[in-house]
Amino acid sequence: MDAFMQAAIDEARQGLAEGGIPIGSVIVHKGRIIGRGHNRRVQEGSAIRHGEMDAFENAGRQPASVYREAVLYTTLSPCSMCSGAILLYGIPRIIVGENRTFLGEEELLRSRGVEVEVLQDATCIALMEEFIEARPELWNEDIGE
Amino acid sequence: MDAFMQAAIDEARQGLAEGGIPIGSVIVHKGRIIGRGHNRRVQEGSAIRHGEMDAFENAGRQPASVYREAVLYTTLSPCSMCSGAILLYGIPRIIVGENRTFLGEEELLRSRGVEVEVLQDATCIALMEEFIEARPELWNEDIGE
C-alpha cells in the first residue's frame, strides 16, 4: 500500500472511530503531506467538510504554484463538491481508493485534464460497504440523497 | 432589489468590513433564509469558505427534501467548488448577482438542469471591481490563480 493512501485510510478510520463517515484524504506536495482530513458531517454537524474538503482546509491557504504540483489522495471517488474544489485549485492528479460504492465526478475531472487513478483498494471498499450497510440514511444525507 | 439578493449583498459588505473578500450568499427555503454566509478566506485563513460554501455550512445539515426546494443567492457567479456543492445538494435554482468580473461554472450548472438567473447588478459589480483593483493578489488566490 502506498504510504499516502495509507494515510488517507488512517484518516477514514479515525473518522469512523469518532462516529463519523469513514472517508479520508491527504494532499501531497513534493513528497510531503501538506493537508490531511476526514469527513466531519457528524462530528461538526458540517455540510461541507467532506474528507477532501477537510484536507484542503487543513492544508490552509496555499499559493497556486503549490496546488499545481500537488497530488490529492482520497479513499472514495470525489463527489461534485470535492471535484469542484480539485478543479478550482488546479490539482493535476488524484489517486482514488475506490469508486465501487460511489462514483463521483471522475469523468468531469478527466474532461478538464485531471489525471485520475482508481486503485479499487479492498480496504477502502470494505470501509464504505460496512458503513453504508450500517448507516444508509447518514450516507444518503452525505451525498445529497 | 430583491430582499434575498440584498441579504447576500449585506453579507458581502460585512465580509469587506472584516477585511475579507466581498462575496456573500444566502440559501432560501419556502421564502425564509435558512443559511447565510460570506467569503472567509482572510478572516479564518480558509481555503474552502467561499460565500456560497459558508452559507451551506451555516444552513447546517439539511434533508435532501429541503435542498431540492431551495434557491441559492450569490453576489458573484459561483466557482467550480461552489457549483459542485450546488450540484451535490441538488439546488434547483440559483440567482447570481453578476458574472462580469468572474464567470464561474454556469454552463455546467445549466447542463445539469440548474436554473441560473444572472442579474448583472451594479452594486455587486462595483463591489468586486473595487476589490479586484485594490487586492488583485488576494483575488487571484481565491480563484486558484
Side-chain angles (χ1 to χ4, degrees), chain B residues 96-131:
Chain B
V96 174
E98 61 108 353
N99 66 8
R100 290 219 185 133
T101 66
F102 175 78
L103 177 59
E105 295 274 2
E106 293 173 18
E107 192 179 336
L108 174 67
L109 289 169
R110 287 198 179 99
S111 78
R112 302 288 182 94
V114 178
E115 188 186 336
V116 179
E117 185 181 342
V118 182
L119 305 181
Q120 302 300 17
D121 175 74
T123 302
C124 293
I125 294 170
L127 269 168
M128 283 309 295
E129 279 183 345
E130 286 163 27
F131 175 75

mmCIF file of all heavy atoms in Angstrom, chain B residues 96-131:
data_model
loop_
_atom_site.group_PDB
_atom_site.id
_atom_site.type_symbol
_atom_site.label_atom_id
_atom_site.label_comp_id
_atom_site.label_asym_id
_atom_site.label_seq_id
_atom_site.Cartn_x
_atom_site.Cartn_y
_atom_site.Cartn_z
ATOM 1 N N VAL B 96 -27.774 34.869 -9.418
ATOM 2 C CA VAL B 96 -26.389 35.336 -9.396
ATOM 3 C C VAL B 96 -26.374 36.857 -9.550
ATOM 4 O O VAL B 96 -26.963 37.391 -10.492
ATOM 5 C CB VAL B 96 -25.610 34.674 -10.558
ATOM 6 C CG1 VAL B 96 -24.198 35.251 -10.665
ATOM 7 C CG2 VAL B 96 -25.583 33.158 -10.396
ATOM 8 N N GLY B 97 -25.677 37.538 -8.642
ATOM 9 C CA GLY B 97 -25.624 38.998 -8.701
ATOM 10 C C GLY B 97 -24.992 39.498 -9.984
ATOM 11 O O GLY B 97 -25.522 40.395 -10.651
ATOM 12 N N GLU B 98 -23.855 38.899 -10.349
ATOM 13 C CA GLU B 98 -23.192 39.315 -11.580
ATOM 14 C C GLU B 98 -22.165 38.265 -12.007
ATOM 15 O O GLU B 98 -21.659 37.507 -11.170
ATOM 16 C CB GLU B 98 -22.497 40.671 -11.394
ATOM 17 C CG GLU B 98 -21.412 40.666 -10.332
ATOM 18 C CD GLU B 98 -19.990 40.740 -10.914
ATOM 19 O OE1 GLU B 98 -19.817 40.667 -12.151
ATOM 20 O OE2 GLU B 98 -19.050 40.858 -10.116
ATOM 21 N N ASN B 99 -21.868 38.263 -13.310
ATOM 22 C CA ASN B 99 -20.810 37.372 -13.813
ATOM 23 C C ASN B 99 -19.839 38.129 -14.718
ATOM 24 O O ASN B 99 -19.151 37.506 -15.526
ATOM 25 C CB ASN B 99 -21.415 36.145 -14.518
ATOM 26 C CG ASN B 99 -22.165 36.510 -15.798
ATOM 27 O OD1 ASN B 99 -22.108 37.660 -16.254
ATOM 28 N ND2 ASN B 99 -22.864 35.546 -16.379
ATOM 29 N N ARG B 100 -19.793 39.465 -14.546
ATOM 30 C CA ARG B 100 -18.894 40.257 -15.407
ATOM 31 C C ARG B 100 -17.463 40.212 -14.898
ATOM 32 O O ARG B 100 -16.524 40.199 -15.671
ATOM 33 C CB ARG B 100 -19.370 41.710 -15.451
ATOM 34 C CG ARG B 100 -20.662 41.839 -16.207
ATOM 35 C CD ARG B 100 -20.723 43.085 -17.078
ATOM 36 N NE ARG B 100 -22.049 43.151 -17.662
ATOM 37 C CZ ARG B 100 -22.816 44.239 -17.686
ATOM 38 N NH1 ARG B 100 -22.355 45.382 -17.176
ATOM 39 N NH2 ARG B 100 -23.999 44.196 -18.229
ATOM 40 N N THR B 101 -17.284 40.217 -13.579
ATOM 41 C CA THR B 101 -15.915 40.233 -13.048
ATOM 42 C C THR B 101 -15.354 38.815 -12.911
ATOM 43 O O THR B 101 -14.132 38.642 -12.841
ATOM 44 C CB THR B 101 -15.860 40.927 -11.665
ATOM 45 O OG1 THR B 101 -16.592 40.145 -10.715
ATOM 46 C CG2 THR B 101 -16.466 42.336 -11.722
ATOM 47 N N PHE B 102 -16.225 37.820 -12.887
ATOM 48 C CA PHE B 102 -15.793 36.415 -12.833
ATOM 49 C C PHE B 102 -16.931 35.550 -13.340
ATOM 50 O O PHE B 102 -18.056 35.659 -12.848
ATOM 51 C CB PHE B 102 -15.444 36.008 -11.388
ATOM 52 C CG PHE B 102 -15.102 34.557 -11.233
ATOM 53 C CD1 PHE B 102 -13.850 34.065 -11.597
ATOM 54 C CD2 PHE B 102 -16.044 33.647 -10.743
ATOM 55 C CE1 PHE B 102 -13.541 32.720 -11.472
ATOM 56 C CE2 PHE B 102 -15.734 32.301 -10.604
ATOM 57 C CZ PHE B 102 -14.480 31.843 -10.964
ATOM 58 N N LEU B 103 -16.618 34.713 -14.325
ATOM 59 C CA LEU B 103 -17.632 33.788 -14.837
ATOM 60 C C LEU B 103 -17.315 32.392 -14.313
ATOM 61 O O LEU B 103 -16.280 31.815 -14.646
ATOM 62 C CB LEU B 103 -17.653 33.793 -16.368
ATOM 63 C CG LEU B 103 -18.635 32.811 -17.014
ATOM 64 C CD1 LEU B 103 -20.068 33.075 -16.567
ATOM 65 C CD2 LEU B 103 -18.537 32.868 -18.536
ATOM 66 N N GLY B 104 -18.186 31.871 -13.462
ATOM 67 C CA GLY B 104 -17.976 30.548 -12.883
ATOM 68 C C GLY B 104 -18.544 29.449 -13.777
ATOM 69 O O GLY B 104 -18.519 29.555 -15.006
ATOM 70 N N GLU B 105 -19.075 28.429 -13.136
ATOM 71 C CA GLU B 105 -19.478 27.220 -13.861
ATOM 72 C C GLU B 105 -20.963 27.228 -14.212
ATOM 73 O O GLU B 105 -21.655 26.207 -14.092
ATOM 74 C CB GLU B 105 -19.149 25.987 -13.020
ATOM 75 C CG GLU B 105 -17.668 25.780 -12.793
ATOM 76 C CD GLU B 105 -16.978 25.008 -13.917
ATOM 77 O OE1 GLU B 105 -17.652 24.665 -14.918
ATOM 78 O OE2 GLU B 105 -15.764 24.763 -13.780
ATOM 79 N N GLU B 106 -21.426 28.386 -14.688
ATOM 80 C CA GLU B 106 -22.850 28.486 -15.022
ATOM 81 C C GLU B 106 -23.257 27.503 -16.118
ATOM 82 O O GLU B 106 -24.344 26.927 -16.064
ATOM 83 C CB GLU B 106 -23.169 29.924 -15.457
ATOM 84 C CG GLU B 106 -23.024 30.919 -14.308
ATOM 85 C CD GLU B 106 -23.178 32.370 -14.761
ATOM 86 O OE1 GLU B 106 -23.715 32.601 -15.856
ATOM 87 O OE2 GLU B 106 -22.760 33.258 -14.003
ATOM 88 N N GLU B 107 -22.364 27.298 -17.074
ATOM 89 C CA GLU B 107 -22.704 26.396 -18.179
ATOM 90 C C GLU B 107 -22.857 24.959 -17.665
ATOM 91 O O GLU B 107 -23.806 24.251 -18.039
ATOM 92 C CB GLU B 107 -21.613 26.477 -19.253
ATOM 93 C CG GLU B 107 -21.994 25.815 -20.562
ATOM 94 C CD GLU B 107 -20.891 25.933 -21.618
ATOM 95 O OE1 GLU B 107 -20.065 26.864 -21.532
ATOM 96 O OE2 GLU B 107 -20.857 25.066 -22.511
ATOM 97 N N LEU B 108 -21.926 24.539 -16.802
ATOM 98 C CA LEU B 108 -22.023 23.198 -16.207
ATOM 99 C C LEU B 108 -23.322 23.055 -15.420
ATOM 100 O O LEU B 108 -24.040 22.060 -15.552
ATOM 101 C CB LEU B 108 -20.822 22.937 -15.290
ATOM 102 C CG LEU B 108 -20.856 21.625 -14.495
ATOM 103 C CD1 LEU B 108 -20.747 20.416 -15.424
ATOM 104 C CD2 LEU B 108 -19.737 21.584 -13.451
ATOM 105 N N LEU B 109 -23.642 24.069 -14.626
ATOM 106 C CA LEU B 109 -24.867 24.015 -13.816
ATOM 107 C C LEU B 109 -26.097 23.876 -14.713
ATOM 108 O O LEU B 109 -26.959 23.020 -14.485
ATOM 109 C CB LEU B 109 -24.983 25.265 -12.940
ATOM 110 C CG LEU B 109 -23.974 25.352 -11.780
ATOM 111 C CD1 LEU B 109 -24.000 26.728 -11.146
ATOM 112 C CD2 LEU B 109 -24.270 24.275 -10.734
ATOM 113 N N ARG B 110 -26.145 24.702 -15.760
ATOM 114 C CA ARG B 110 -27.306 24.625 -16.668
ATOM 115 C C ARG B 110 -27.383 23.265 -17.341
ATOM 116 O O ARG B 110 -28.465 22.710 -17.515
ATOM 117 C CB ARG B 110 -27.226 25.737 -17.716
ATOM 118 C CG ARG B 110 -27.530 27.127 -17.137
ATOM 119 C CD ARG B 110 -27.872 28.129 -18.248
ATOM 120 N NE ARG B 110 -28.193 29.446 -17.681
ATOM 121 C CZ ARG B 110 -27.331 30.465 -17.611
ATOM 122 N NH1 ARG B 110 -26.103 30.337 -18.078
ATOM 123 N NH2 ARG B 110 -27.715 31.606 -17.070
ATOM 124 N N SER B 111 -26.214 22.712 -17.706
ATOM 125 C CA SER B 111 -26.204 21.407 -18.391
ATOM 126 C C SER B 111 -26.720 20.296 -17.483
ATOM 127 O O SER B 111 -27.157 19.250 -17.957
ATOM 128 C CB SER B 111 -24.791 21.070 -18.875
ATOM 129 O OG SER B 111 -23.977 20.607 -17.793
ATOM 130 N N ARG B 112 -26.673 20.550 -16.141
ATOM 131 C CA ARG B 112 -27.180 19.554 -15.187
ATOM 132 C C ARG B 112 -28.592 19.902 -14.705
ATOM 133 O O ARG B 112 -29.091 19.320 -13.739
ATOM 134 C CB ARG B 112 -26.244 19.466 -13.976
ATOM 135 C CG ARG B 112 -24.795 19.105 -14.305
ATOM 136 C CD ARG B 112 -24.617 17.664 -14.711
ATOM 137 N NE ARG B 112 -23.214 17.361 -14.977
ATOM 138 C CZ ARG B 112 -22.359 16.856 -14.084
ATOM 139 N NH1 ARG B 112 -22.758 16.586 -12.871
ATOM 140 N NH2 ARG B 112 -21.106 16.617 -14.413
ATOM 141 N N GLY B 113 -29.193 20.902 -15.365
ATOM 142 C CA GLY B 113 -30.587 21.188 -15.058
ATOM 143 C C GLY B 113 -30.843 22.265 -14.024
ATOM 144 O O GLY B 113 -32.003 22.494 -13.643
ATOM 145 N N VAL B 114 -29.785 22.934 -13.571
ATOM 146 C CA VAL B 114 -29.981 24.022 -12.602
ATOM 147 C C VAL B 114 -30.414 25.286 -13.350
ATOM 148 O O VAL B 114 -29.836 25.641 -14.377
ATOM 149 C CB VAL B 114 -28.681 24.299 -11.811
ATOM 150 C CG1 VAL B 114 -28.883 25.457 -10.834
ATOM 151 C CG2 VAL B 114 -28.214 23.048 -11.094
ATOM 152 N N GLU B 115 -31.442 25.938 -12.822
ATOM 153 C CA GLU B 115 -31.879 27.209 -13.395
ATOM 154 C C GLU B 115 -30.959 28.310 -12.861
ATOM 155 O O GLU B 115 -30.827 28.461 -11.647
ATOM 156 C CB GLU B 115 -33.337 27.465 -12.990
ATOM 157 C CG GLU B 115 -33.976 28.652 -13.660
ATOM 158 C CD GLU B 115 -35.365 28.941 -13.094
ATOM 159 O OE1 GLU B 115 -36.018 28.009 -12.544
ATOM 160 O OE2 GLU B 115 -35.784 30.098 -13.175
ATOM 161 N N VAL B 116 -30.325 29.040 -13.751
ATOM 162 C CA VAL B 116 -29.362 30.076 -13.360
ATOM 163 C C VAL B 116 -29.848 31.426 -13.889
ATOM 164 O O VAL B 116 -29.992 31.606 -15.097
ATOM 165 C CB VAL B 116 -27.959 29.789 -13.939
ATOM 166 C CG1 VAL B 116 -26.978 30.895 -13.542
ATOM 167 C CG2 VAL B 116 -27.451 28.422 -13.496
ATOM 168 N N GLU B 117 -30.113 32.346 -12.967
ATOM 169 C CA GLU B 117 -30.538 33.679 -13.364
ATOM 170 C C GLU B 117 -29.448 34.671 -12.959
ATOM 171 O O GLU B 117 -29.014 34.673 -11.815
ATOM 172 C CB GLU B 117 -31.864 34.029 -12.670
ATOM 173 C CG GLU B 117 -32.454 35.352 -13.102
ATOM 174 C CD GLU B 117 -33.769 35.672 -12.369
ATOM 175 O OE1 GLU B 117 -34.379 34.733 -11.792
ATOM 176 O OE2 GLU B 117 -34.155 36.836 -12.352
ATOM 177 N N VAL B 118 -29.010 35.492 -13.912
ATOM 178 C CA VAL B 118 -27.937 36.458 -13.640
ATOM 179 C C VAL B 118 -28.512 37.867 -13.694
ATOM 180 O O VAL B 118 -29.112 38.256 -14.695
ATOM 181 C CB VAL B 118 -26.790 36.309 -14.656
ATOM 182 C CG1 VAL B 118 -25.660 37.288 -14.319
ATOM 183 C CG2 VAL B 118 -26.263 34.874 -14.678
ATOM 184 N N LEU B 119 -28.334 38.623 -12.591
ATOM 185 C CA LEU B 119 -28.961 39.944 -12.507
ATOM 186 C C LEU B 119 -28.116 41.063 -13.108
ATOM 187 O O LEU B 119 -28.645 42.101 -13.465
ATOM 188 C CB LEU B 119 -29.266 40.284 -11.036
ATOM 189 C CG LEU B 119 -30.106 39.269 -10.263
ATOM 190 C CD1 LEU B 119 -30.334 39.757 -8.837
ATOM 191 C CD2 LEU B 119 -31.449 39.029 -10.948
ATOM 192 N N GLN B 120 -26.809 40.859 -13.205
ATOM 193 C CA GLN B 120 -25.859 41.937 -13.578
ATOM 194 C C GLN B 120 -26.159 43.192 -12.747
ATOM 195 O O GLN B 120 -26.310 44.297 -13.277
ATOM 196 C CB GLN B 120 -25.891 42.236 -15.088
ATOM 197 C CG GLN B 120 -25.572 41.065 -15.995
ATOM 198 C CD GLN B 120 -24.178 40.434 -15.803
ATOM 199 O OE1 GLN B 120 -23.514 40.647 -14.787
ATOM 200 N NE2 GLN B 120 -23.753 39.634 -16.750
ATOM 201 N N ASP B 121 -26.184 42.986 -11.460
ATOM 202 C CA ASP B 121 -26.498 44.067 -10.523
ATOM 203 C C ASP B 121 -25.303 45.015 -10.359
ATOM 204 O O ASP B 121 -24.168 44.578 -10.098
ATOM 205 C CB ASP B 121 -26.866 43.441 -9.168
ATOM 206 C CG ASP B 121 -27.098 44.492 -8.117
ATOM 207 O OD1 ASP B 121 -28.151 45.140 -8.175
ATOM 208 O OD2 ASP B 121 -26.203 44.689 -7.263
ATOM 209 N N ALA B 122 -25.570 46.304 -10.494
ATOM 210 C CA ALA B 122 -24.500 47.309 -10.464
ATOM 211 C C ALA B 122 -23.762 47.330 -9.131
ATOM 212 O O ALA B 122 -22.535 47.522 -9.083
ATOM 213 C CB ALA B 122 -25.081 48.687 -10.764
ATOM 214 N N THR B 123 -24.464 47.105 -8.041
ATOM 215 C CA THR B 123 -23.818 47.098 -6.717
ATOM 216 C C THR B 123 -22.847 45.925 -6.610
ATOM 217 O O THR B 123 -21.716 46.079 -6.125
ATOM 218 C CB THR B 123 -24.886 47.014 -5.603
ATOM 219 O OG1 THR B 123 -25.779 48.118 -5.739
ATOM 220 C CG2 THR B 123 -24.246 47.021 -4.233
ATOM 221 N N CYS B 124 -23.291 44.758 -7.044
ATOM 222 C CA CYS B 124 -22.427 43.570 -6.996
ATOM 223 C C CYS B 124 -21.184 43.774 -7.864
ATOM 224 O O CYS B 124 -20.065 43.427 -7.462
ATOM 225 C CB CYS B 124 -23.192 42.329 -7.469
ATOM 226 S SG CYS B 124 -24.536 41.832 -6.369
ATOM 227 N N ILE B 125 -21.380 44.317 -9.053
ATOM 228 C CA ILE B 125 -20.247 44.554 -9.954
ATOM 229 C C ILE B 125 -19.258 45.535 -9.322
ATOM 230 O O ILE B 125 -18.039 45.288 -9.312
ATOM 231 C CB ILE B 125 -20.743 45.082 -11.325
ATOM 232 C CG1 ILE B 125 -21.566 44.007 -12.058
ATOM 233 C CG2 ILE B 125 -19.558 45.524 -12.194
ATOM 234 C CD1 ILE B 125 -22.287 44.503 -13.304
ATOM 235 N N ALA B 126 -19.781 46.623 -8.762
ATOM 236 C CA ALA B 126 -18.898 47.641 -8.179
ATOM 237 C C ALA B 126 -18.115 47.078 -6.993
ATOM 238 O O ALA B 126 -16.909 47.351 -6.832
ATOM 239 C CB ALA B 126 -19.717 48.857 -7.745
ATOM 240 N N LEU B 127 -18.765 46.256 -6.172
ATOM 241 C CA LEU B 127 -18.081 45.645 -5.021
ATOM 242 C C LEU B 127 -16.858 44.853 -5.491
ATOM 243 O O LEU B 127 -15.769 44.978 -4.928
ATOM 244 C CB LEU B 127 -19.031 44.696 -4.286
ATOM 245 C CG LEU B 127 -19.868 45.246 -3.138
ATOM 246 C CD1 LEU B 127 -20.935 44.239 -2.738
ATOM 247 C CD2 LEU B 127 -19.000 45.620 -1.934
ATOM 248 N N MET B 128 -17.041 44.037 -6.516
ATOM 249 C CA MET B 128 -15.934 43.199 -6.995
ATOM 250 C C MET B 128 -14.901 44.005 -7.766
ATOM 251 O O MET B 128 -13.696 43.784 -7.610
ATOM 252 C CB MET B 128 -16.465 42.045 -7.852
ATOM 253 C CG MET B 128 -17.070 40.911 -7.050
ATOM 254 S SD MET B 128 -16.009 40.288 -5.710
ATOM 255 C CE MET B 128 -14.628 39.598 -6.637
ATOM 256 N N GLU B 129 -15.348 44.943 -8.605
ATOM 257 C CA GLU B 129 -14.372 45.733 -9.380
ATOM 258 C C GLU B 129 -13.436 46.484 -8.442
ATOM 259 O O GLU B 129 -12.216 46.487 -8.634
ATOM 260 C CB GLU B 129 -15.100 46.717 -10.306
ATOM 261 C CG GLU B 129 -15.598 46.049 -11.586
ATOM 262 C CD GLU B 129 -16.265 47.017 -12.549
ATOM 263 O OE1 GLU B 129 -16.604 48.150 -12.118
ATOM 264 O OE2 GLU B 129 -16.466 46.637 -13.714
ATOM 265 N N GLU B 130 -14.002 47.084 -7.416
ATOM 266 C CA GLU B 130 -13.168 47.848 -6.479
ATOM 267 C C GLU B 130 -12.235 46.928 -5.695
ATOM 268 O O GLU B 130 -11.075 47.254 -5.457
ATOM 269 C CB GLU B 130 -14.059 48.653 -5.512
ATOM 270 C CG GLU B 130 -14.698 49.851 -6.199
ATOM 271 C CD GLU B 130 -15.883 50.437 -5.431
ATOM 272 O OE1 GLU B 130 -15.924 50.296 -4.189
ATOM 273 O OE2 GLU B 130 -16.765 51.030 -6.091
ATOM 274 N N PHE B 131 -12.756 45.759 -5.326
ATOM 275 C CA PHE B 131 -11.925 44.831 -4.566
ATOM 276 C C PHE B 131 -10.773 44.278 -5.408
ATOM 277 O O PHE B 131 -9.618 44.218 -4.956
ATOM 278 C CB PHE B 131 -12.770 43.677 -4.006
ATOM 279 C CG PHE B 131 -11.930 42.655 -3.328
ATOM 280 C CD1 PHE B 131 -11.403 42.903 -2.071
ATOM 281 C CD2 PHE B 131 -11.597 41.469 -3.964
ATOM 282 C CE1 PHE B 131 -10.576 41.983 -1.455
ATOM 283 C CE2 PHE B 131 -10.775 40.546 -3.357
ATOM 284 C CZ PHE B 131 -10.269 40.807 -2.102
#
